[in-house]
Amino acid sequence: MTEQRTLPGAAGLVGSRLPREAARRHARGGGRFVDDIAFARLAHVAFVRSPYAHARITGIETAAARALPGVLAVVTGEDLKPLCHPWVGVLNHFPGLKSAPQYPLAIDAARWNGEPVVAVVAESRALAEDGADLVEVSYEPLPPVLDLDAAQAPGAPVVHPDLEDNLAFALELDTGGVEAVFAEAALVVEDEFRFGRHTALTLEPRSLVADFDPALRQLTVHHATQTPFQMQDVYARHLGLEEADVRVVAPDVGGSFGMKLHVYGEEMATCALSVLLGRPVKFVADRLESFQTDIHARDHRVRARMAVSEEGEILAMDVVDETGIGPYSVYPRTSAVEGNQAIRLMGGPYRMPAYRGRLKVVFQNKTPMCQYRAVGHPVACAVTEGLVDKAAARLGLDPLEMRRRNVVTQDMYPHRSPTGYMFERLSHEECAARIEQMMGYARLRDEQAELRARGIHRGIGFATFIEITNPGPAFYGVGGARISAQDGCVMKMEPSGQIRVDVSVTEQGQGTETIMAQIAATHLGVPLSDVRVYTGDTRSSPYGGATWASRGAGVGGPTVMKTAQALRDNILDVAATILQARPEELALRDGCIVDAAGSVRMDLAELGRIAYFRPDTLPADYHPELTVARHYVPQGYPFAFTNGIQASHLEVDTETGLVRLLDHWVVEDCGTVINPLLVDEQVRGGVVQGLGAALFEEVLYNSEGALTTATMADYLAPMAGEMPDIHVGHVVTPTLTSPLGAKGVGEAGTAAAPAAVMNAINDALSPFGAELRQMPFTPERILAALGKI
């Protein structure tokens, strides 16, 4: 056994042990500890992180850090263990899914490069980092498990010995008869697809301030999270507090993309430290920490084949998807969801009768992986659409025509996919016709042929897609997760006549508050400027699921609509009482009460004055009700599916391998469009993230499991100058599962953009017989496919 000790500062961030006597004084509620710490100003925490991907922790020296002036506490995983119950990322509806208990800080062993090991609390972030540099952690390096094949090999090192092997979860879907279909098919196409790991790269990093009041045993957490009620439940249960004594505040969050709805060790540690010290503690991840510890996504290797008839009819798909999720299944939503959705979305837009999908989810010594924008969709879409293009080429069919021959047609709805998804009604036929017209498809093909004769290689790629939105009430609850699928709204008319809306869906920069204000104003009959929307505070917001899975407009919207309708009825009842009329004779229009002739009888400010300050002028026993609350649970289908088609037009320089994006088109159907500008920009933003995955973004590790893309210089994000014009069109098919008819749109752009780019690159390179199936499609990979390197 060898022992290695990190040099001071080598691990980045650090931590150590709280003096026992100080802790005892704190527990008694007296002494200098309480005066200096419990009621002092904001403290800051920094973390010592493992420089190894896999190592046993053999010793932690903290004396030097504790002696540094301004350092308040140095805390290890063992110190926090009594304060914070561990969590395990499994759910009952994924039978066989396993994971190890996880603590805020690593105990005994570190299992990925960057895992927090020690926490240092100080009077400033700079002092906390200085203290972290003085902590020395001794490690015994262990063999890292990095590769998918290595993780599954006989005798492979096991990430968690108690779990016996590295297989976290396995699933098989089979309609039966798949082998017979392939044996009789006129054409079989197959390929292997690889998807690079990437991460969310939000403008605002993960951050929180935890403030525990030891006298009241109440914890307030100002947290950049998508799901304040989920985190309220998590903090209460794992820190041993009453749920009512935990408040989570998340008003405006600077981007999340699914990354900010998971439980992270640093955030649990920050809250536990606030409980331990009895004072507010702040943590803000820097960019290096974000790369090391924000969840990653999309690390998949898929082997797939498709059976096709002579006429181009898709008969079957057979898919094996292997994905590496890091050392833990992430809590509380699990790391099985991405793979589960990927194999269930395969072939989604098409009417193939037979399907077999096999999924393996394996542990690795890399950053944990979990849900990120368009969970599983880009994987399923790229595999399906890549095989569709390959089959079309072999049959001599135009790729758009190939899709027309296979999409589910209007006479087939409602339709069940071979993987079990139910579609109420999709509009792929209309979307295909619209995109052909928008892009001038025939003209682009003529231009492509002319340019090829001159040595200029342009390509056109299509990708048909579906998007899971408006998840139903059983989405997580059926597995035992305390994650709400319903939403709530409280709406009141102020004495001024203005409207206050408190709603459980949250604002992440996607325009939630604008949408909710529009819905409230429309269904009340008041000016938009008179509506104020408040979100993200578990003390004042009604309980609800918040923001995930493109559910804001589709689930939160009807909640606000029903609340507005109820408040409008109450306002008209009060107005009728004041005016000695019948409610059905009155209407609320532009913030005024009008009669059947359209004449203004009073404005809402006057109604508010009477209802709130002069109720003595109203009939006896009449009680104006100007505050209402409603909740909404989506009904009917388990999901409402948004659908559409994307097209990419690009040029490949066959000498350098560089790709120049020329134009990108999206035609999508998200049902009722509430705010056209916000919808279009959500689509465009999603496309940009998809283009990043296709061409630029990839998290890389070296052979020892050390992260090598830990800065913005190494991890390439798409920039404005590299993006094409993105043209957005719409087909409108309102869903009957929602009173608004709205479906989600937040992930549609991301779902299909990588597949469209892949098909366009392969179309451009078709004269050379070159194909690429590994994302991102870097210049090196393109030149390698061309045989030039």
Side-chain angles (χ1 to χ4, degrees), residues 229 486-490 501-505 534 537-545 559 629-631:
F229 285 102
Q486 60 85 51
D487 275 300
C489 177
V490 175
V501 179
D502 289 276
V503 65
S504 55
V505 291
Y534 300 89
D537 188 339
T538 59
R539 177 173 291 178
S540 58
S541 301
Y543 205 99
T559 309
R630 292 292 185 273
H631 287 259

Side-chain angles (χ1 to χ4, degrees), residues 298 345 373-382 385 463-468 646 683 686-687 689-690 746-756 775:
R298 316 272 207 258
L345 288 162
R373 191 176 194 173
V375 183
H377 292 66
V379 175
C381 187
E385 297 301 302
T464 309
F465 68 88
I466 54 176
E467 177 201 353
I468 292 173
Q646 296 190 29
V683 171
V687 166
Q689 282 186 285
E747 295 161 289
T750 309
M775 296 186 194

Side-chain angles (χ1 to χ4, degrees), residues 670-730:
C670 64
T672 302
V673 177
I674 299 169
N675 186 309
L677 178 61
L678 286 178
V679 167
D680 285 359
E681 296 314 309
Q682 277 285 296
V683 171
R684 289 190 176 99
V687 166
V688 169
Q689 282 186 285
L691 297 177
L695 296 174
F696 305 106
E697 299 182 53
E698 186 171 21
V699 175
L700 297 172
Y701 293 82
N702 67 16
S703 60
E704 297 178 347
L707 182 67
T708 61
T709 49
T711 72
M712 294 295 293
D714 302 306
Y715 184 89
L716 302 183
M719 306 294 284
E722 297 156 336
M723 292 297 99
D725 286 338
I726 301 170
H727 314 276
V728 182
H730 302 279

Side-chain angles (χ1 to χ4, degrees), residues 14-23 32-33 37 48 60-76 79 118-123 127-136 276-277:
V14 216
S16 171
R17 187 177 301 275
L18 182 71
R20 297 180 187 276
E21 181 57 33
R32 188 179 64 82
F33 186 82
I37 294 182
V48 178
I60 301 175
E61 295 292 337
T62 63
R66 286 190 284 114
L68 184 69
V71 169
L72 306 170
V74 187
V75 181
T76 68
D79 296 325
V118 185
V120 177
V121 185
E123 294 174 353
L127 284 172
E129 292 185 359
D130 288 345
D133 286 344
L134 297 176
V135 174
E136 295 186 10
L276 183 67
L277 300 175

Side-chain angles (χ1 to χ4, degrees), residues 87-101 160 163 165-172 323-340 359-363 369-371 476 479-481:
W87 55 92
V88 182
V90 299
L91 290 173
N92 298 334
H93 62 310
F94 295 126
L97 173 62
K98 63 188 180 185
S99 189
H160 298 284
L163 300 180
D165 59 34
N166 294 318
L167 183 63
F169 180 63
L171 176 66
E172 181 168 344
T323 177
I325 60 167
Y328 297 96
S329 173
V330 177
Y331 184 74
R333 294 167 187 257
T334 86
S335 298
V337 174
E338 183 175 81
N340 176 68
L359 171 68
K360 288 185 177 180
V361 178
V362 302
F363 293 120
M369 203 171 81
C370 205
Q371 290 98 314
Y476 280 111

Side-chain angles (χ1 to χ4, degrees), residues 236-248:
R237 285 190 294 116
H238 291 277
L239 295 173
L241 301 171
E242 295 295 329
E243 186 172 323
D245 290 331
V246 177
R247 178 189 181 193
V248 177

Side-chain angles (χ1 to χ4, degrees), residues 166-185:
N166 294 318
L167 183 63
F169 180 63
L171 176 66
E172 181 168 344
L173 307 173
D174 195 343
T175 60
V178 171
E179 289 297 339
V181 173
F182 274 92
E184 298 172 5

